[in-house]
């Protein structure tokens, strides 16, 4: 066995020579690919499919594993995320979002300032939601398994806007509320993960919660979600001062009765 | 490989023709004319333009096989590639990590004149002082799910290895064991159980030494449920295997290190400490992942290690990187021969070959007498355990 420095040298030169001449599927599928963005973890398609299946089951049986839901979203999105990105490209604001790539976390959003806003504005409602449910915008899992960096940003934006959707639709952070919002997001974004969560999530509810969900919330979610404006195209960071009822009217969102 | 593909393609199409599935295809046209007419001149024979499927049970079965064969080839392709390609991948395996190996290599070139020597952390290179910290983080993260993950990754086989390890140790009554990198206490527990059940002995003692407090805590919790709790039979210590300052020299009969030595920064220092701490006639035993001899099994093993184990880590323990480090560190560990050399250099006397492959062992032409009882492990090996001892007379 060579010493570590020698190994490194030999291995480097071999890598440089052979990196450009290896064509076999084995190397391409199993070995390291380039990182496209900082949090990217490039894995083979076989691993992605394994992850998709196992994360689906894990998320179903252990709902506290938010990272598994995130992984499921990333591994199953593929073409649907591209469609969502294309929809964003068709809108002016969507294009601006993709150009500027705003990130939502407690550093980029001035939460103390939002608290000073008058009641009834979008910013104030958002802060009330965060304080009331005791959540912060920092808890979102980073995107890891999507190769294209623009699509990774779209996925990241989708995750970060989840709290904004809560504010607009006024749904609570309970299991029922989350499921109703998942149905809403399915109608909006059409990602497979939203469909899977919407279909298999209610299995964890009690009977009466399930009936209430499917009688009251799901019809609302589908109808409201499909006819409202694409919320991924809304530049939420510019809307802090807007009156929330006006904003809902503009976007075509009505609250669930 | 391409020839194999072509042959199989031809066979599939022959099967299709036999079952009356007609597809318009240039290649098929030529194949069929050759098969049916046996005459190369009939190039203009037209088979059919539209696809017609006669759906009888034979076509159905053949279509299933048709789909399975490419999938099978796709899966088995790494195994049936030529030997030179496999050798290639041996070098490549150095880079099969999900982190950007290239950038770290380039950094390594630039930092060549740095004072601190570098050591390997999986497939990455890190300064030596960092490795201990990084390994510490890895084990702190996985401590709570360590036993579950062991069972999941090895499909429970790790219990067989550890039981065999202790049976080979065959401790007598009153043996003092130092279990280094003992972690959650599998070997320590097995040792105490063995002495109790085989010899009815309760004077055996084990000191469980580990560098990571979280792992030792998990071990303590496990021992609380056993009859050894609060007895003098088990003692827990936090310490570094490279420098066991709290333990006097020549004080233990057996020193074991199971699946721990590859995580140590300086293996030679660990071996010197082992030499110091063991009494003359004492025994050094190490259970570790070695190199698989058979190249076909090695490819399957690599596939399993690099594709499935990180996914298991992600799903069960919510920590992919720790298990990526684990499989990379297995690849980095020296081979059985090299490790034996290192042990001999420390001053130990090696009896016999010095090691034994447990799972995925290479096939032996003959089996020496006395190995028959462990024949069931000879089928395949993955691990080997290293057993080095002083001349046997000293033990009796």
């Amino acid at each position: 066995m060579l010493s570590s420095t020698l190994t490194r040298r030999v291995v480097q030169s071999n890598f440089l020579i052979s990196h450009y001449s290896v064509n076999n599927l084995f190397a391409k599928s199993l070995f390291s690919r380039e990182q496209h963005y900082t949090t990217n973890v490039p894995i083979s398609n076989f691993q992605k499919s394994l992850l998709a299946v196992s994360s689906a089951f894990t998320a179903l049986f252990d709902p506290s594993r938010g990272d598994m839901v995130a992984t499921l979203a990333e591994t199953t999105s593929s073409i649907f995320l591209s469609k969502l990105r294309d929809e964003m490209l068709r809108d002016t604001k969507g294009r601006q979002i993709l150009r500027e790539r705003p990130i939502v976390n407690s550093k980029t959003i001035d939460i103390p300032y939002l608290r000073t806003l008058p009641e009834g504005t979008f910013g104030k409602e958002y802060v009330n939601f965060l304080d009331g449910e005791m959540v912060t915008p920092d808890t979102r899992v980073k995107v890891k398994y999507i190769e294209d960096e623009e699509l990774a940003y779209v996925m990241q934006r989708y995750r970060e806007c989840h709290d904004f959707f809560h504010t607009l639709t006024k749904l609570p952070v309970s299991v029922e509320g989350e499921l109703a919002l998942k149905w809403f997001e399915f109608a909006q974004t059409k990602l497979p993960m939203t469909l899977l969560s919407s279909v298999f999530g209610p299995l964890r509810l009690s009977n009466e919660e399930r009936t209430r969900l499917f009688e009251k919330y799901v019809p609302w979610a589908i109808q409201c979600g499909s006819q409202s404006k694409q919320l991924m195209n809304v530049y939420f960071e510019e809307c802090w001062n807007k009156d929330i009822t006006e904003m809902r009217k503009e976007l075509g969102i009505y609250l669930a009765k | 490989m391409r020839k194999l593909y072509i042959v199989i393609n031809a066979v599939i199409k022959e099967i299709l023709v036999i079952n009356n599935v007609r597809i318009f295809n240039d290649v098929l046209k030529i194949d069929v004319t050759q098969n049916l007419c046996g005459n190369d001149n009939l190039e203009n024979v037209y088979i059919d333009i539209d696809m017609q499927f006669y759906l009888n049970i034979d076509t159905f079965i053949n279509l299933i096989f048709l789909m399975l064969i490419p999938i099978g080839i796709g899966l088995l392709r790494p195994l049936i590639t030529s030997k030179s390609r496999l050798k290639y991948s041996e070098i490549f395996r150095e880079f099969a990590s999900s982190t950007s190996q290239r950038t770290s290599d380039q950094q390594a070139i630039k930092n060549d004149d740095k004072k601190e020597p570098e050591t390997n952390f999986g497939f990455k290179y890190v300064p030596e002082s960092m490795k201990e910290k990084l390994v510490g983080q890895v084990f702190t993260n996985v401590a709570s799910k360590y036993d579950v993950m062991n069972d999941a990754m090895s499909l429970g086989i790790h219990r067989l290895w550890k039981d065999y390890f202790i049976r080979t140790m065959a401790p007598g009554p009153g043996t003092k064991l130092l279990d280094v990198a003992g972690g959650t206490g599998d070997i320590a527990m097995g040792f105490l159980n063995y002495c109790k059940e085989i010899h009815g002995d309760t004077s055996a003692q084990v000191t469980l030494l580990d560098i990571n407090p979280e792992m030792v805590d998990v071990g303590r919790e496990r021992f609380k449920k056993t009859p050894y709790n609060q007895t003098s039979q088990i003692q827990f210590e936090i310490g570094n295997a490279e420098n066991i300052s709290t333990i006097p020299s020549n004080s233990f009969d057996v020193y074991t290190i199971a699946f721990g030595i590859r995580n140590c920064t300086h293996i030679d220092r660990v071996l010197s400490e082992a030499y110091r701490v063991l009494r003359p006639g004492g025994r050094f035993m190490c259970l570790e992942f070695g190199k698989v001899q058979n190249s076909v099994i090695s490819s399957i093993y690599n596939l399993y290690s690099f594709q499935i184990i990180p996914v298991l880590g992600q799903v069960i323990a919510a920590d992919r990187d720790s298990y990526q480090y684990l499989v990379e560190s297995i690849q980095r560990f020296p081979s059985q021969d090299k490790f034996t050399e290192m042990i001999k250099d420390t001053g130990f006397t090696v009896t016999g070959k010095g090691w034994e492959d447990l799972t995925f062992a290479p096939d032996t032409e003959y089996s020496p007498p006395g190995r028959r009882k462990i024949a069931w492990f000879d089928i395949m090996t993955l691990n080997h355990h290293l057993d080095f001892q002083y001349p046997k007379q000293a033990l009796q």
Side-chain angles (χ1 to χ4, degrees):
Chain A
M1 208 65 173
L2 305 167
S3 71
S4 63
T5 42
L6 195 51
T7 313
R8 210 184 325 139
R9 290 270 178 274
V10 167
V11 145
Q12 272 164 4
S13 59
N14 274 323
F15 180 78
L16 288 169
I17 292 167
S18 42
H19 172 76
Y20 301 105
S21 55
V22 163
N23 270 322
N24 57 53
L25 256 177
F26 187 47
K28 274 188 190 155
S29 65
L30 289 192
F31 296 129
S32 70
R33 293 116 171 263
E34 282 228 359
Q35 262 190 322
H36 297 277
Y37 48 93
T38 345
T39 55
N40 189 17
V41 175
I43 57 177
S44 60
N45 291 332
F46 173 67
Q47 259 191 77
K48 273 191 197 141
S49 45
L50 251 186
L51 254 184
V53 175
S54 45
S55 65
F57 282 105
T58 317
L60 176 63
F61 291 118
D62 187 3
S64 65
R65 294 288 301 272
D67 59 318
M68 284 285 104
V69 178
T71 311
L72 178 65
E74 288 169 28
T75 46
T76 54
S77 296
S78 59
I79 52 171
F80 301 96
L81 204 55
S82 312
K83 281 194 183 153
L84 185 60
R85 188 263 314 267
D86 293 343
E87 213 177 322
M88 284 178 80
L89 284 175
R90 280 193 276 272
D91 183 81
T92 323
K93 276 296 174 188
R95 284 196 291 271
Q96 187 186 357
I97 293 173
L98 283 176
R99 245 193 331 266
E100 296 175 13
R101 299 210 180 158
I103 311 255
V104 176
N105 55 40
S106 49
K107 293 193 203 83
T108 54
I109 294 187
D110 193 0
I111 296 184
Y113 162 69
L114 293 182
R115 291 208 182 97
T116 64
L117 290 174
E119 288 289 336
T121 51
F122 175 67
K124 185 68 179 165
E125 289 285 312
Y126 176 62
V127 167
N128 289 345
F129 166 78
L130 288 182
D131 293 337
E133 309 281 357
M134 291 187 284
V135 291
T136 66
D138 292 326
T139 53
R140 299 294 152 193
V141 180
K142 295 273 178 272
V143 178
K144 294 196 207 86
Y145 303 117
I146 296 181
E147 305 307 335
D148 183 29
E149 49 152 357
E150 189 169 41
L151 294 179
Y153 173 72
V154 175
M155 178 59 81
Q156 189 74 36
R157 179 82 184 159
Y158 161 68
R159 276 188 203 152
E160 289 165 356
C161 289
H162 184 80
D163 284 339
F164 295 137
F165 298 165
H166 268 292
T167 323
L168 283 174
T169 55
K170 241 188 147 131
L171 287 169
V173 181
S174 57
V175 182
E176 263 188 277
E178 289 290 350
L179 283 173
L181 194 58
K182 268 284 171 291
W183 278 99
F184 181 82
E185 283 175 356
F186 172 59
Q188 286 257 305
T189 62
K190 301 189 191 49
L191 293 176
M193 178 272 287
T194 52
L195 179 63
L196 286 171
S197 313
S198 314
V199 169
F200 292 104
L203 296 174
R204 301 201 66 87
L205 293 175
S206 67
N207 272 329
E208 65 167 49
E209 281 177 328
R210 220 188 343 256
T211 37
R212 191 167 57 220
L213 178 75
F214 280 100
E215 277 175 15
K216 183 174 154 195
Y217 287 110
V218 171
W220 161 82
I222 297 179
Q223 284 166 15
C224 183
S226 12
Q227 54 88 47
S228 69
K229 190 175 172 222
Q230 173 61 256
L231 290 180
M232 292 289 289
N233 286 337
V234 176
Y235 207 134
F236 291 106
E237 287 89 334
E238 287 175 355
C239 300
W240 300 130
N241 288 312
K242 261 195 175 152
D243 181 43
I244 196 163
T245 22
E246 207 182 292
M247 201 168 157
R248 283 189 186 127
K249 273 207 197 114
E250 264 179 46
L251 296 172
I253 295 176
Y254 52 94
L255 298 178
K257 290 291 172 284
Chain B
M1 191 56 225
R2 270 196 62 75
K3 286 183 190 165
L4 188 60
Y5 242 124
I6 292 169
V7 163
I8 290 180
N9 248 325
V11 166
I12 292 167
K13 280 164 184 160
E14 272 198 53
I15 296 171
L16 286 177
V17 167
I18 291 167
N19 282 292
N20 295 320
V21 175
R22 297 186 280 180
I23 300 174
F24 178 61
N25 188 329
D26 277 340
V27 176
L28 177 61
K29 178 176 71 179
I30 297 169
D31 280 350
V32 165
T33 49
Q34 283 176 351
N35 289 328
L36 293 180
C37 316
N39 192 338
D40 294 313
N41 292 334
L42 294 168
E43 280 163 16
N44 291 329
V45 174
Y46 222 35
I47 304 298
D48 219 308
I49 297 178
D50 42 24
M51 284 225 301
Q52 286 178 0
F53 275 83
Y54 294 102
L55 283 176
N56 49 26
I57 191 68
D58 296 314
T59 17
F60 196 63
I61 291 173
N62 280 314
L63 281 172
I64 293 176
F65 278 117
L66 199 147
M67 287 187 287
L68 283 177
I69 288 171
I71 294 173
I73 291 177
L75 286 177
L76 292 173
R77 196 171 164 156
L79 305 177
I80 28 185
T81 46
S82 67
K83 233 188 175 171
S84 60
R85 273 205 191 137
L86 276 174
K87 276 240 161 51
Y88 228 22
S89 61
E90 247 178 71
I91 300 168
F92 253 72
R93 242 189 288 122
E94 311 277 316
F95 291 94
S97 95
S98 57
T99 55
S100 181
Q101 175 67 4
R102 256 166 110 201
T103 47
S104 72
D105 258 7
Q106 283 161 10
Q107 281 166 15
I109 301 172
K110 282 179 216 155
N111 296 336
D112 233 338
D113 40 309
K114 229 175 133 171
K115 284 190 194 125
E116 180 150 29
E118 290 193 335
T119 182
N120 55 289
F121 179 73
F123 288 160
K124 293 189 268 197
Y125 288 96
V126 296
E128 283 189 350
S129 51
M130 280 289 290
K131 177 165 178 175
E132 206 176 285
K133 239 179 283 173
L134 291 169
V135 172
Q137 267 167 22
V138 163
F139 281 97
T140 308
N141 291 342
V142 305
S144 53
K145 289 271 169 67
Y146 186 74
D147 294 318
V148 174
M149 278 300 297
N150 275 350
D151 277 328
M153 289 190 291
S154 65
L155 306 170
I157 298 179
H158 74 105
R159 295 164 191 261
L160 297 175
W161 296 327
K162 285 167 183 165
D163 283 342
Y164 178 72
F165 186 67
I166 292 167
R167 277 200 310 276
T168 317
M169 191 202 303
T175 308
K176 287 184 69 182
L177 170 69
L178 177 65
D179 185 16
V180 177
T184 52
D186 278 333
I187 300 288
M189 185 105 71
F191 165 79
L192 290 174
N193 287 341
Y194 182 96
C195 291
K196 190 158 165 211
E197 277 156 37
I198 308 286
H199 302 299
D201 164 60
T202 48
S203 59
Q205 286 185 355
V206 55
T207 303
L208 194 150
L209 181 87
D210 199 289
I211 196 172
N212 192 301
E214 275 81 12
M215 293 289 280
V216 174
D217 284 336
V218 176
R220 265 189 248 260
E221 286 304 311
R222 276 183 63 183
F223 269 92
K224 275 196 185 135
K225 304 172 198 153
T226 64
Y228 310 115
N229 186 28
Q230 309 290 349
T231 60
S232 62
Q233 283 193 279
I234 174 81
Q235 270 147 23
F236 298 95
E237 278 201 36
I238 312 277
N240 190 339
E242 295 178 16
N243 183 9
I244 317 173
S245 44
T246 51
I247 292 179
S249 312
N250 299 334
S251 51
F252 280 95
D253 301 321
V254 188
Y255 176 110
T256 60
I257 183 163
F259 302 123
I261 200 162
R262 68 172 187 278
N263 297 313
C264 300
T265 320
H266 303 106
I267 297 180
D268 48 342
R269 289 187 205 169
V270 175
L271 295 172
S272 319
E273 277 295 287
Y275 190 85
R276 176 187 75 83
V277 151
L278 280 173
R279 63 164 178 80
R283 206 165 162 190
F284 171 85
M285 296 187 69
C286 167
L287 181 63
E288 195 46 81
F289 290 103
K291 303 277 179 243
V292 184
Q293 316 297 342
N294 185 321
S295 57
V296 174
I297 297 183
S298 175
S299 326
I300 305 179
Y301 175 49
N302 284 340
L303 208 84
Y304 178 72
S305 315
F306 285 98
Q307 301 301 306
I308 299 184
I309 289 183
V311 172
L312 275 178
Q314 169 109 13
V315 170
I316 300 179
D319 189 349
R320 178 198 190 81
D321 296 328
S322 299
Y323 289 93
Q324 186 74 32
Y325 160 70
L326 184 139
V327 294
E328 290 176 3
S329 64
I330 292 174
Q331 296 288 334
R332 276 292 191 202
F333 191 68
S335 66
Q336 287 87 310
D337 290 312
K338 176 83 196 326
F339 193 45
T340 319
E341 283 304 313
M342 291 169 77
I343 291 177
K344 277 189 198 155
D345 289 340
T346 320
F348 284 104
T349 308
V350 175
T351 55
K353 197 164 84 161
W355 79 83
E356 190 187 327
D357 289 330
L358 292 182
T359 312
F360 300 145
D363 216 8
T364 45
E365 287 289 328
Y366 81 107
S367 33
R371 270 171 67 94
R372 270 292 123 213
K373 63 178 162 74
I374 49 169
W376 64 304
F377 271 130
D378 286 351
I379 303 167
M380 303 213 241
T381 60
L382 190 62
N383 286 351
H384 64 277
H385 93 258
L386 299 167
D387 177 0
F388 307 93
Q389 40 181 276
Y390 277 78
K392 266 209 167 77
Q393 296 89 311
L395 280 173
Q396 289 137 15

